[in-house]
Structures are given as structure tokens and as C-alpha cells.
Amino acid sequence: MNRILIVEDETHMRMGLADNLEFEGYEIDQAEEGNEGLTKILENQYSLILLDVMLPNMSGFEICKTIRAKGISTPLILLTAKGEEIDKVRGLELGADDYITKPFSLRELLARVKAVLRRGEMSSPEKKSVMAKIGRLEVDFPSYNAFSEGCQVQMSHKEYEILKYLYEHKNRTVSRDDLLKNIWGYEERVTTRTVDNFILKLRQKIEEDHEHPQVILTVHGTGYKLLG
Ligand code: CA
């Protein structure tokens, strides 16, 4: 199912969009402040983001710039106010896929949403061929999608990054320090315990029996090894 995140501080507008998109069959998540929106984008995966420009804490532009710099390519439609012509150009330069000017009709919005989602699907024609089979999961790393028995499995951006790293180094031991260095970099205060917690979450999604892992093995005193 297509999951859409709405980041909009005007309650009336946000709720209205949410209700209507839900009615159209989309699954909706909402954020009313900029930093809340950014956190949700980093921790979840969406098919589409509807992003207001003027937001408390962090503007839509900043969010757009930040997520694109992190390599997140989720389709994004900016919601701009009337008369903000320069903003539109800037938004597209920063990596937005489209924009829509307030006030807009529901019909117009739905048309844009469908068009952007369709474009997103078409831009990944290699989707099927790059599916990686990992335990119970089939993972499409480029589009951050994972499936188990045909159903989409929710995974955070970090979980994808960790799994991808292990997969790229499969059948080899990857130390916790390697993961810390390559996934988190040195700037964030994370410990090896954080790594272990993420591995636990991944195992619950991948393994037939996460208490007796057969895919992501623990290499005692060192780290992990993904068998593939
Ligand atoms: Ca606003």
C-alpha cells in the first residue's frame, strides 16, 4: 500500500488532506512540525511526502535539502503558498518532485499525487531484478522496499543501511566498529549496544526464528556475519 507522510502545521489543512487521502486508499502518517517531519522521514519509509514550506522549527526547504543529501529519494511534493513563485523554483532545485500552490482543489492534489507516485514506480524499472533474497525478506535496496510473502515490511532507513552493508559483505565477518563507522559515522553518539539493538530488530524481520538466527549470525567478540 502507498504510504504518504503529510508535514503541515495548519491542523485544518493537515486533517483535511489526511481524511481525503485515506478515503482514496492511501495509508497516512502526519507531522505538524519540521523537525518531527524530518525524524519521521529518516525513521520510516514512505511512498510520497507532502511537505509544507513554512513550518515551525525547520522549513520544508531545509527538510528537502537534508533528506536528499542523505540519499533519500522518496518522491516529494511541496505545498507552497500563493505568490511564492521563487520558492517553487528553489524547491525544485533542492530536489522536490513537484509543488502545488495553496489553495488547491482536492482533485488537483490527487492528480499530482498519482502522477508523482507513477513516476516513482517508472523510474525504478530494475526493481524486480535487484530484489535481494535475505532470509524471509525480499529487499529492494534502491527503493527502500522490503517484502515478506508478498506483503510490505516496514523498515527504518537505518535498518536498510545496516542490512545493505551486511549484504554487501555477506559471508564475511563485519565488526560492530565497522558498522558504527560506516552507518553512523563518527558524529553521532551511538554505542555497540545500539548496533546490537538494530540487529535484533532486523532478525525479527528476517529470521524464521529470531532467537535461533540462521541468516545474521553473531561472531562472538567481534560482530556479525550475514550468510547468503
Ligand atoms: Ca505552514
Side-chain angles (χ1 to χ4, degrees), residues 7-10 52-56 79 102:
V7 190
E8 166 65 77
D9 57 323
E10 287 164 56
D52 184 28
V53 173
M54 297 295 286
L55 288 165
L79 309 178
K102 296 182 203 174

Side-chain angles (χ1 to χ4, degrees), residues 18 39 75 79 82 114 119 133 138 157 168 180-181 190 211:
T39 306
L79 309 178
K82 203 173 183 182
K114 280 180 189 154
R119 238 183 285 155
K133 181 97 181 83
E138 295 213 37
H157 196 74
E168 284 169 350
L180 280 176
K181 193 169 78 182
V190 287
E211 287 180 356

Side-chain angles (χ1 to χ4, degrees), residues 1-5 21-22 24-29 45-48 75 113-114 116-118 120-121 127 145 152 154:
M1 187 195 277
N2 282 314
R3 195 161 174 231
I4 300 178
L5 173 69
L21 289 167
E22 262 171 11
E24 291 293 320
Y26 298 106
E27 192 185 325
I28 302 300
D29 199 2
Q45 3 129 21
Y46 299 101
S47 318
L48 175 69
V113 165
K114 280 180 189 154
V116 169
L117 284 173
R118 208 180 309 128
E121 281 161 20
K127 218 171 186 172
N145 277 305
Q152 186 146 28
Q154 296 299 332

